């Protein structure tokens, strides 16, 4: 019986019984009242039960929709990765041919004007090649499809390689480029992926030069902790460039993130370098971060632990 109908009926029944006299009537009246209250509670319980059932149904529905959305997002992500991976592979082959042909033409040409144009073409093609490689790396890193090499190497060759590549760029802006590392650390045989380590260093050091207009860029490598089997080392890339505000520091290291994303921005690039550096350092089990003061400069740093290689045999 619905609550609204039950209530006036009970009142009428109680009124009729109250007109009669005798103890039995009083017992009947209170039994009737208790019965009625029980019914009311029963109805309230049923209503609460129904509301609970409805809430549970809503929760199940939301869960189902979230699962479907996650599944669709996963499918879209995989399709995007497959597309990017295929496209970058397809772009690489003709680009290699273009670079090869430009090199040949460059070395066969004796005309100074032609050489100038061929050099410009080569530089542009190399920038494009780097971008394609970066996009492919990022896609593979995000899809967990990139694995790290484990080979023996020493820091000295790796560090010199990175610095030599960057020296012309620093010199063109009259920016000093220094390396600070102890001989002991730089000649310590290590085991790891030196190519990926140098990629991280290159990305950070090339940023340091790009976002500085004067001063120096210092690459400092220090050993934080050493055991018989491994060395925990820290790489600091210190610049005297434009610096980054505390708020902007939080946005760094995300895919395609550039602090100045306007079309009129002064610096080239696609916002991939730091994201790749972060993925690689995390894959190596390390940590990457930045300390910066706007207008004064930044120190990007990362720390990784590398296994020691066998000591070179005495000659
Ligand atoms: N040393 C630095 N000083 C000041 N800002 C920096 C520095 N390094 C990075 N940034 C900021 O972080 C952004 C992201 O850097 P990231 O290396 O990922 O991209 P990019 O250099 O713009 O392009 P890409 O590396 O893909 O060629 C940069 O656009 C810049 O705004
Ligand atoms: Mg960069």
């Amino acid at each position: 019986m619905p609550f609204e109908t039950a209530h006036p009926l009970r009142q009428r029944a109680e009124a009729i019984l109250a007109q009669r006299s005798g103890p039995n009537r009083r017992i009947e009246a209170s039994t009737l009242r208790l019965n009625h209250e029980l019914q009311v509670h029963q109805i309230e319980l049923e209503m609460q039960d129904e509301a609970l059932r409805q809430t549970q149904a809503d929760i199940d529905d939301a869960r189902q929709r979230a699962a479907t959305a996650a599944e669709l997002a996963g499918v879209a992500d995989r399709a995007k990765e497959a597309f990017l991976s295929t496209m970058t592979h397809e772009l690489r082959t003709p680009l290699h041919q273009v670079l090869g042909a430009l090199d040949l033409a460059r070395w066969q040409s004796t005309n100074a004007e032609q050489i100038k144009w061929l050099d410009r073409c080569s530089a542009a093609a190399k920038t494009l090649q780097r971008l394609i490689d970066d996009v492919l790396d990022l896609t593979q890193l995000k899809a967990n499809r990139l694995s790290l090499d484990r080979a023996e190497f020493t820091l000295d060759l790796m560090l010199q390689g990175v610095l030599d590549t960057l020296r012309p760029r620093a010199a063109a802006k009259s920016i000093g480029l220094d390396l600070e590392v102890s001989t002991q650390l730089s000649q310590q045989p290590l085991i790891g992926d030196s190519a990926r380590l140098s990629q991280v260093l290159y990305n950070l050091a090339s940023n340091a030069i790009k976002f500085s207009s004067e001063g120096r860029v210092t690459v400092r490598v220090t050993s934080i902790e050493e055991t018989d089997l491994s060395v925990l080392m820290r790489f600091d890339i210190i610049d005297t460039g434009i610096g980054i505000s505390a708020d902007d520091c939080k946005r760094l290291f995300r895919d395609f993130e550039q602090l100045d994303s306007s079309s009129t921005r002064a610096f080239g690039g696609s916002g991939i370098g730091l994201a790749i550096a972060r993925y690689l350092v995390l894959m190596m089990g390390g940590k990457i971060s930045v300390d910066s003061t706007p207008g004064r400069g930044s120190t990007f740093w990362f720390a990784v632990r590398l296994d020691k290689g066998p000591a070179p045999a005495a000659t």
Side-chain angles (χ1 to χ4, degrees), residues 2 118 122 151 173 194 239:
L118 285 169
S122 257
K173 296 176 87 178
S194 64
D239 70 53

Side-chain angles (χ1 to χ4, degrees), residues 134 202-204 206-208 210-211 258 268-274:
D134 277 357
Y202 174 90
N203 286 3
L204 301 183
S206 65
N207 277 352
K210 176 159 62 165
F211 297 103
Q258 293 186 301
S270 36
I272 308 183
L274 285 184

Side-chain angles (χ1 to χ4, degrees), residues 179-206:
L179 174 62
E180 290 178 13
V181 59
S182 70
T183 315
Q184 194 202 345
L185 185 57
S186 72
Q187 288 177 3
Q188 165 68 50
L190 298 165
I191 295 179
D193 195 327
S194 64
R196 293 299 177 186
L197 199 60
S198 71
Q199 187 177 4
V200 176
L201 195 60
Y202 174 90
N203 286 3
L204 301 183
S206 65

Side-chain angles (χ1 to χ4, degrees), residues 279-308:
Y279 279 114
L280 286 174
V281 170
L282 292 185
M283 259 185 96
M284 293 177 197
K287 179 176 164 49
I288 187 165
S289 188
V290 61
D291 306 312
S292 190
T293 313
R296 299 269 296 277
S298 316
T299 297
F300 278 81
W301 63 268
F302 64 97
V304 284
R305 184 181 285 283
L306 290 181
D307 288 341
K308 284 181 174 175

